[in-house]
Amino acid sequence: MAGTWQPLSHQPNFNASTMLLLTDGRVMCQDAGTANWRLLTPDGTGSYVNGTWSNVAPMHHTRLYYASAVLKDGRVFVSGGEYSDGAQSETTTGEIYDPRTDTWTEISAPAGWTEIGDAPCTVLPDGRVLVGQINGTKTAIYDPVTNQWTAAASKGDRSSEETWVLLGDNTVVTAQCTAHPGAEKYLISNNQWVSAGTLPVDLIEASSIEIGAGVTLPNGHAFVAGATPHTAIYTPPANPAQPGTWTAGPNIPNDNKGQTCGSKDAPGCLMPNGNVLFVVGPVDGISGDYLKPTYFYEFDGTNLIRVNDPPNASGVPYEGRMMLLPTGQVLFAAGSPQIHVYTPSGSPNNGWRPTITNAPGQVHSGLSYTLFGTQLNGLSQACGYGDDAGCATNYPLVRLRNTTNGKVYYCRTFDHSTMAIATGNSIQSTSFAVPGGIPEGTYDLVVVANGIPSASVSISVMSLKIPFPWAAVWQWLIGSLTDGPLWAIGPNGPIPVDPMGTKVTAQVRAARKQMLQSIRVLQKIGAQGIQQRLKISQKLPRSFDLEAGEGPVVASSVKSRQRKKRSQKDKSNSAKKSKPYDASKRK
């Protein structure tokens, strides 16, 4: 049975596009083509349908179609952009967002690279990020810990338009777009790209070299939707270095007008019930044609099931974005001021759930703890897109529900022991920070991976004696060490001043007052800085899809030349792709 759609109660007042699930349960959503993002926060019952929006500090650059991911430490990675700062740039700029400080920090590009653009990427099990070169065979790995890029092995063809799928055997498989119908995969442990065989059906629209989303299924196989009417399923081999096997999946039916349909550069999502929700649209084999509307299907492991379309599905499929929520629901945005929520039918197999093997029985608000368990990262990266909207959700979230009033709170998770999938019975861990100010009481704690919750464990939450505003930092952090709110600095750290007499106490009080005043000044400056960044971001040129005729009015001859230029590049690549991938030539 198909699921149901419903709109957000508070629809965005911007053109909702790429979405990323933060490890504290909030959803970041980009205002399409701008530097601006918004945050969707669930309400007190954990409902995203009734969630509310708030601002996020803007990026340093506007971006449209780029690599993106949530990192092992909870920060957000963005790199490249087919369009950036108002131009078709294939930019190499990148940034890291830290939700704790609401700040973006620019990062360098891989050495020697002149383009990243709308390249594919995936977070590797150790937390590093593998990124492809849009118009070349080079790949590179970004290490968030050292903030450094290193060269990775070269591919058999260029990365353009590919969808990369992380598998449970610690490889990354992809159907090659410029060398279709071939496939290859990255052996992470060997830093090597090898052949993954040949597909029995062609998923690539030859003129545009586009493809649809790919995701790993609960059984460890990978499902890939084509920009043609075909789908395919990859079965990993026992030895990861071997090619594995591909079988044809069900064909995508024609629409009710008799038009051929395919998933041309579009999203897909593995839901908790094991089905893949994905979108298709009419395709005609012409490179620059991206046709309306968008149709929704579920793949149940055997068949394609046509499901209802939400009201915001009247546009082209490539504008669509999906995000799997901790509730098991799926957000769908399509570059407009509308987001709709899909609630799937059914429930997950109990064997797919994460389990908690060890967790603290008592925690304090504002402090961090570690829990242990199995399958904390789920069985799949779950959310996929052709190439330029990475939004995987294979990391643990920690959710608390008050057993008295049912209020729901998410703890920020970080420093997960792995970013791998399908980790089986191996014990993994994550750290979690209990929100400050959470009421005391008894709570049910669950770990959620890809929308699937574990069985709950009971936990007691205790409040610190004081909250954690800046004005209380001394007593919270250092006062607890000195057994009092007033302290001086000794040779080995803070020391209490209570026994030192009224004169010393008065001096310390005066110093504390000055420090508080200075912090308030810094807070005021910080608030002014955020407002200034927001004003600057509004003046940055929006990144439009110029080839699709979006943005400011452009002379038809100019648009024609743009399409011709892209078409010629595609034809050139098409000539190269006919050569089969020869693994013996890979060093």
Side-chain angles (χ1 to χ4, degrees):
M1 186 173 67
T4 57
W5 290 99
Q6 63 187 128
L8 291 183
S9 297
H10 304 103
Q11 289 287 10
N13 61 358
F14 59 94
N15 294 321
S17 184
T18 296
M19 295 175 286
L20 296 165
L21 177 64
L22 297 180
T23 63
D24 61 7
R26 298 179 297 172
V27 176
M28 282 182 67
C29 184
Q30 187 195 17
D31 183 358
T34 74
N36 299 321
W37 294 74
R38 302 290 187 272
L39 280 174
L40 177 64
T41 302
D43 72 3
T45 68
S47 169
Y48 289 84
V49 172
N50 297 320
T52 54
W53 293 97
S54 58
N55 287 330
V56 176
M59 295 185 291
H60 293 85
H61 304 274
T62 67
R63 299 177 194 277
L64 186 63
Y65 315 142
Y66 50 89
S68 54
V70 174
L71 301 173
K72 187 176 178 181
D73 60 8
R75 293 181 297 165
V76 170
F77 167 90
V78 297
S79 179
E82 183 175 352
Y83 304 90
S84 180
D85 296 335
Q88 185 175 352
S89 61
E90 308 290 0
T91 182
T92 60
T93 64
E95 306 182 45
I96 298 286
Y97 176 71
D98 191 337
R100 297 169 301 173
T101 57
D102 189 31
T103 55
W104 291 90
T105 302
E106 292 198 83
I107 60 175
S108 63
W113 285 31
T114 59
E115 291 182 320
I116 292 179
D118 54 333
C121 78
T122 190
V123 178
L124 301 177
D126 63 5
R128 298 176 301 156
V129 187
L130 178 68
V131 178
Q133 189 180 56
I134 191 65
N135 286 316
T137 61
K138 292 180 179 180
T139 64
I141 294 176
Y142 176 73
D143 188 334
V145 176
T146 62
N147 190 30
Q148 297 291 324
W149 289 92
T150 57
S154 292
K155 292 178 76 275
D157 73 334
R158 65 190 182 98
S159 300
S160 182
E161 308 301 337
E162 289 184 350
T163 179
W164 291 359
V165 182
L166 178 67
L167 300 174
D169 62 2
N170 288 343
T171 64
V172 179
V173 70
T174 182
Q176 293 174 295
C177 286
T178 60
H180 61 103
E184 62 181 329
K185 59 182 176 178
Y186 181 64
L187 305 181
I188 299 172
S189 59
N190 296 351
N191 184 28
Q192 182 183 17
W193 287 91
V194 299
S195 172
T198 302
L199 281 75
V201 291
D202 202 343
L203 305 182
I204 313 302
E205 184 186 69
S207 61
S208 65
I209 64 167
E210 295 282 15
I211 193 173
V215 296
T216 301
L217 302 174
N219 62 6
H221 300 180
F223 170 78
V224 184
T228 64
H230 304 300
T231 67
I233 299 169
Y234 177 74
T235 302
N239 178 357
Q242 296 301 312
T245 57
W246 290 90
T247 55
N251 284 335
I252 300 168
N254 293 350
D255 67 9
N256 58 11
K257 298 179 182 178
Q259 298 177 105
T260 301
C261 289
S263 190
K264 185 175 178 178
D265 204 20
C269 178
L270 176 69
M271 299 181 294
N273 61 9
N275 291 2
V276 179
L277 180 70
F278 71 106
V279 304
V280 306
V283 292
D284 59 7
I286 299 174
S287 175
D289 285 0
Y290 294 85
L291 306 178
K292 304 175 182 179
T294 296
Y295 306 120
F296 281 74
Y297 280 88
E298 285 191 29
F299 172 64
D300 67 0
T302 304
N303 302 304
L304 297 184
I305 304 167
R306 181 75 167 93
V307 300
N308 290 331
D309 307 320
N312 60 338
S314 59
V316 293
Y318 77 81
E319 291 180 330
R321 300 289 188 272
M322 290 183 185
M323 175 46 56
L324 179 60
L325 297 172
T327 57
Q329 299 166 300
V330 180
L331 294 179
F332 178 73
S336 69
Q338 288 189 60
I339 293 180
H340 289 261
V341 183
Y342 189 73
T343 302
S345 61
S347 57
N349 183 308
N350 283 331
W352 303 343
R353 295 184 186 277
T355 65
I356 299 172
T357 59
N358 187 283
Q362 184 182 90
V363 297
H364 287 80
S365 60
L367 299 183
S368 296
Y369 301 86
T370 301
L371 63 77
F372 300 84
T374 63
Q375 293 189 169
L376 299 185
N377 293 67
L379 303 177
S380 172
Q381 288 185 319
C383 294
Y385 187 96
D387 58 341
D388 43 30
C391 50
T393 58
N394 60 311
Y395 38 86
L397 276 69
V398 171
R399 185 170 64 209
L400 300 175
R401 186 185 68 84
N402 188 294
T403 58
T404 301
N405 57 27
K407 292 291 186 182
V408 171
Y409 302 85
Y410 282 92
C411 302
R412 179 179 62 86
T413 59
F414 57 98
D415 292 344
H416 323 304
S417 58
T418 185
M419 291 295 280
I421 62 171
T423 53
N425 293 324
S426 65
I427 301 298
Q428 304 297 333
S429 66
T430 187
S431 296
F432 66 98
V434 182
I438 183 173
E440 289 188 339
T442 302
Y443 289 77
D444 289 330
L445 180 150
V446 299
V447 174
V448 183
N450 293 331
I452 301 178
S454 68
S456 65
V457 298
S458 182
I459 191 169
S460 296
V461 174
M462 306 295 292
S463 295
L464 291 171
K465 293 184 178 180
I466 61 167
F468 188 61
W470 277 104
V473 167
W474 289 268
Q475 188 170 338
W476 184 87
L477 180 61
I478 300 180
S480 61
L481 301 176
T482 61
D483 196 28
L486 294 177
W487 47 272
I489 300 175
N492 298 310
I495 57 175
V497 300
D498 291 346
M500 298 184 186
T502 57
K503 182 177 180 181
V504 171
T505 299
Q507 292 175 331
V508 172
R509 287 187 185 279
R512 180 178 183 273
K513 183 177 180 180
Q514 290 177 346
M515 294 172 71
L516 282 173
Q517 290 174 337
S518 297
I519 286 175
R520 293 191 182 103
V521 171
L522 293 175
Q523 286 179 306
K524 183 177 180 180
I525 293 172
Q528 292 172 343
I530 290 174
Q531 291 301 314
Q532 185 177 23
R533 283 291 309 278
L534 285 170
K535 290 180 181 179
I536 293 173
S537 72
Q538 299 298 330
K539 297 179 181 179
L540 289 174
R542 190 188 191 101
S543 292
F544 293 99
D545 188 335
L546 302 177
E547 291 175 288
E550 297 176 356
V553 177
V554 182
S556 60
S557 60
V558 173
K559 288 192 285 186
S560 175
R561 286 196 299 272
Q562 289 173 332
R563 292 195 181 99
K564 182 177 180 181
K565 179 180 178 182
R566 188 63 173 253
S567 177
Q568 288 172 341
K569 181 172 69 173
D570 292 337
K571 289 178 180 178
S572 173
N573 292 323
S574 179
K576 297 177 183 177
K577 70 178 181 248
S578 61
K579 298 179 181 179
Y581 175 57
D582 185 351
S584 66
K585 294 181 180 179
R586 182 74 32 233
K587 295 182 179 179

